[in-house]
Amino acid sequence: MLEQVSARVWVTTSPTWLTTSTVVVDDDGACLVVDPALTPADLVSLQRELTDRGWHVAAAFSTHPHWDHTLWSEALPDVPRWATPAAAAACTDEELAAQAARDLPGHRWDVVGGTTPLPPDTTELPWTGPRAVVVATPGHAPGHASLHLPGERVLLAGDMLSDVEVPLLDDGPGAVDAYRRSLQRLADVVAGCDAVVPGHGRVTDAAAASHRLAADHRYLDDLTAGAEPLDPRLGDQRVRAEHEAQAARLPV
Ligand SMILES: [Zn+2]
């Protein structure tokens, strides 16, 4: 079920990990689909709903190279599925498929991975719909990028600014500092937005997104200080396990 968050942006949310899929619609019904997810059945019903609305998929974008953000279905048309060059190069399709089988067994996706790298230094997605500015936001995964839709006053944050997940760090060196810089970059963007869409969690407004930014900084401060964060998002068993794993990995 797509829910409208601005004049030309719609979001649907899978019950699994509250994973969002975003659809940006041009005036002629051409759609940019961002991080479509999550189960094969979810992807088929997304395509059905787009068809029912008279829309058609023109392009797609993957915010980062984690399997649940690189999915596609044979029910969806074969269109460019862009990612930043670093994101597209980070994992093989086989590695992404193995992640999927490990994290959410029992499904058979048509496509995991297979994204197309954008030309280096691309600042906006090369499509004719609402402007989609690529905001480099590393720290969670290699080449992670958020999309800012300035005409819609919407930020598609990727796996940042979530109300259900604490900051989950890339396991490369310097991830904490990179994540902090990404949050600072997003703070400027959020200030000019009416809606912020996280990859997992609930769509929110600029004021609540500012609270999420503060909570994320606080979490990183506690993590790096070796203190136990008092963060309600750690009440979820899966998120707590991720937290404990990255706390054990520090310093990163
Ligand atoms: Zn992720």
Side-chain angles (χ1 to χ4, degrees):
M1 290 298 107
L2 287 168
E3 293 178 30
Q4 191 166 19
V5 303
S6 78
R8 297 194 278 186
V9 178
W10 302 71
V11 172
T12 184
T13 306
S14 170
T16 307
W17 313 326
L18 294 185
T19 308
T20 60
S21 309
T22 301
V23 179
V24 185
V25 190
D26 200 359
D27 293 336
D28 62 358
C31 297
L32 169 73
V33 181
V34 181
D35 289 354
L38 181 68
T39 65
D42 290 334
L43 298 177
V44 168
S45 63
L46 175 64
Q47 168 61 25
R48 190 175 304 131
E49 186 161 359
L50 298 181
T51 303
D52 288 348
R53 290 171 180 269
W55 298 345
H56 61 278
V57 179
F61 183 69
S62 162
T63 56
H64 66 284
H66 288 159
W67 71 269
D68 50 328
H69 299 261
T70 66
L71 299 170
W72 204 248
S73 166
E74 285 171 4
L76 291 158
D78 187 15
V79 299
R81 300 167 51 231
W82 296 304
T84 66
C91 291
T92 65
D93 296 347
E94 290 73 23
E95 288 168 330
L96 291 166
Q99 285 177 15
R102 182 197 62 209
D103 290 354
L104 198 65
H107 295 283
R108 187 184 293 267
W109 286 274
D110 296 332
V111 179
V112 185
T115 53
T116 298
L118 287 162
D121 303 320
T122 296
T123 55
E124 295 189 14
L125 295 189
W127 86 307
T128 55
R131 283 181 61 210
V133 179
V134 179
V135 183
T137 42
H140 171 72
H144 185 282
S146 309
L147 280 187
H148 179 209
L149 310 168
E152 297 298 298
R153 297 179 59 83
V154 170
L155 170 66
L156 311 181
D159 270 2
M160 291 185 166
L161 299 183
S162 171
D163 58 331
V164 295
E165 289 185 346
V166 295
L168 300 177
L169 297 164
D170 189 357
D171 54 11
V176 174
D177 288 344
Y179 206 111
R180 283 198 172 108
R181 283 195 298 274
S182 292
L183 291 176
Q184 284 157 2
R185 199 167 299 136
L186 288 178
D188 293 335
V189 178
V190 162
C193 286
D194 297 325
V196 174
V197 183
H200 303 276
R202 296 164 192 86
V203 179
T204 193
D205 60 16
S210 296
H211 292 300
R212 292 186 191 178
L213 281 164
D216 286 351
H217 278 296
R218 230 170 13 244
Y219 172 83
L220 292 174
D221 289 347
D222 287 339
L223 185 73
T224 50
E228 179 60 24
L230 291 171
D231 191 310
R233 296 173 292 187
L234 295 175
D236 179 271
Q237 200 176 5
R238 182 182 66 93
V239 177
R240 171 154 289 277
E242 298 260 22
H243 158 67
E244 286 171 357
Q246 65 187 4
R249 270 201 326 264
L250 282 176
V252 291

